[in-house]
Amino acid sequence: MRRRAFLGLAGALAIPGCTAERAGVVLASRLPLPRPFTVPLTMPAVARPLVDGGTAYELVQRPSRVEIIPGTRTEVWGYDGTFPGPTFDVRAGRPITVSMVNELPVPTSTHLHGGVNPPQFDGYPTHLVVPTRRFVHEYPLSQPAATLWYHDHRMDFTGPQVYRGLAGMFILRDDVDDALPLPKGDKDIPLLICDRAFDADGSFLYPSLPGRPGVKGEYHQGVEGDVILVNGAPWPELEVDSTRYRFRLLNASNARRYDLRLDPAPPDSSAPFTQVGSDVGLLGAPQRLDRVVLASAERADVVVDFGAYPVGTEVTLVNRLDAGPAGQVMRFRVARRGNDDSRVPAKLADLEPLAPGRAVHRRRFDFRLSGPGAHGTHWKINGETFDPARTSATPRLGTTELWTFSSDFHHPVHVHLGHFQVYRRNGRAPGPADAGWKDTVDVRPFEVVEVLVRFEGHRGRYVLHCHNLEHEDMAMMANFDVV
Ligand code: C2O
Ligand code: CU
Ligand code: CU
């Protein structure tokens, strides 16, 4: 039997979560959970080129044992043995190479999520780098400043391999972004948010890990953990000045969605978040938000002004989609006054709105569960499971198409290569989480989301897929060929 049927979904056709906001099923940790806000937020190392000032990077994917839950050790599979992997901080228009050395016991394929890359360097699911080998990715980086991320993309095993630690941030900067008076330096902070469950000995719990009991059909919906990690630390705390900060929020969870709020909200009752960027770049103009909703793989670049709070205030980033431990994410403690010369200008970037009249082709992609059949239950697109040999669409390079995504459940739909703008959600105007250029869109149960996708940069074979990694591993993926 194919590995992707491992969840053995006998009779698991019901989708109990489908009316709720949640996209997965919680796997409970078997150790006492650490007290929230007792460990400091840390920053992943910054990736360094092999030669100072150079453009060639090398990362070694290897196991290592790290302290995540205080007093225990967790084996991670990390880029350079770290979880999250090193953060890239690189310039648009300056191509780099990244040599990925595989010192893990399993094959890998590394994808730069949101990157506009030639197909041979995109991390196609069957483009496997086997243990002891390396592969050199060439990234042209000819795209605007954005908060991208990189992660494993091995066919059928992306969920468990990302869960074990193969994910990191990739910050792309350019002159437009640099020229904005937004918070900079140590006030420009990536926050990689994910959930994990831990076994009694501190190891990661995941239903498919060998020797792990508890493989249950219900996890076909997606695996959620009960511990929230930010930059790899459980419910961390960050001391902040009473100034503005720029937070690059990434939902790197396998399945969990978040509805992020600040508690307390600012006393002056202004909206706590000012969003300046979406998945793949700056918004045209900032938008004020009471909450930030992120499905798997989505990013939001937001400015928070702690100047709205008295010094001494503890401000918690909470997740309204969970009533348990995963309802909290991290805490900011407003520790001191600070000078603030940053601001959020009314205009951020030239954002060309894509008009539907520009679309030269319309295509529909229906994301739906099917089964149980002879080969188990599958998440399918247009009734088909992923076959690397079959292509579902052939958009022309340099054109825009109107793609319609429909669903029976929560499916964060991600398109490789082609960035898009959300045109309509359920026949109406898109919501706040749909703003700007996107590479992933939160398609909720029984929704119909229309996006205008532009195919630029490269010809060749790419994938679109559900970014709930358990759905992706159960073949909710399709090829398209840019011709
Ligand atoms: Cu972030 Cu194809 O994935
Ligand atoms: Cu991607
Ligand atoms: Cu899905």
Side-chain angles (χ1 to χ4, degrees), residues 111-114 414 416:
H111 173 55
L112 175 56
H113 181 123
H414 171 48
H416 285 219

Short mmCIF file of all heavy atoms in Angstrom, two decimals, residues 111-114 414 416, ligand 2:
data_model
loop_
_atom_site.label_atom_id
_atom_site.label_comp_id
_atom_site.label_asym_id
_atom_site.label_seq_id
_atom_site.Cartn_x
_atom_site.Cartn_y
_atom_site.Cartn_z
N HIS A 111 12.01 23.13 -0.90
CA HIS A 111 11.22 24.12 -1.65
C HIS A 111 11.34 25.48 -1.00
O HIS A 111 11.19 25.60 0.21
CB HIS A 111 9.75 23.67 -1.67
CG HIS A 111 8.81 24.67 -2.27
ND1 HIS A 111 8.99 25.19 -3.54
CD2 HIS A 111 7.69 25.25 -1.79
CE1 HIS A 111 8.00 26.04 -3.80
NE2 HIS A 111 7.20 26.10 -2.76
N LEU A 112 11.58 26.50 -1.82
CA LEU A 112 11.53 27.88 -1.35
C LEU A 112 10.12 28.39 -1.63
O LEU A 112 9.78 28.70 -2.78
CB LEU A 112 12.59 28.73 -2.05
CG LEU A 112 12.57 30.22 -1.73
CD1 LEU A 112 12.69 30.48 -0.23
CD2 LEU A 112 13.69 30.94 -2.48
N HIS A 113 9.32 28.44 -0.58
CA HIS A 113 7.89 28.73 -0.71
C HIS A 113 7.68 30.21 -1.01
O HIS A 113 8.09 31.07 -0.22
CB HIS A 113 7.18 28.33 0.59
CG HIS A 113 5.72 28.54 0.58
ND1 HIS A 113 4.81 27.54 0.82
CD2 HIS A 113 4.98 29.65 0.36
CE1 HIS A 113 3.59 28.02 0.75
NE2 HIS A 113 3.67 29.31 0.48
N GLY A 114 7.05 30.48 -2.16
CA GLY A 114 6.85 31.86 -2.60
C GLY A 114 7.91 32.33 -3.56
O GLY A 114 7.83 33.42 -4.12
N HIS A 414 -2.18 26.34 -2.22
CA HIS A 414 -0.91 26.98 -2.55
C HIS A 414 -0.53 26.68 -3.99
O HIS A 414 -0.61 25.53 -4.43
CB HIS A 414 0.19 26.46 -1.60
CG HIS A 414 1.57 26.89 -1.98
ND1 HIS A 414 1.89 28.20 -2.28
CD2 HIS A 414 2.73 26.19 -2.11
CE1 HIS A 414 3.18 28.28 -2.57
NE2 HIS A 414 3.72 27.07 -2.48
N HIS A 416 2.61 26.97 -6.65
CA HIS A 416 4.04 27.25 -6.85
C HIS A 416 4.19 28.22 -8.04
O HIS A 416 3.33 28.27 -8.92
CB HIS A 416 4.80 25.96 -7.16
CG HIS A 416 5.03 25.09 -5.95
ND1 HIS A 416 6.20 24.41 -5.72
CD2 HIS A 416 4.23 24.81 -4.88
CE1 HIS A 416 6.12 23.73 -4.58
NE2 HIS A 416 4.93 23.94 -4.05
CU CU B 2 5.52 26.82 -2.63
#
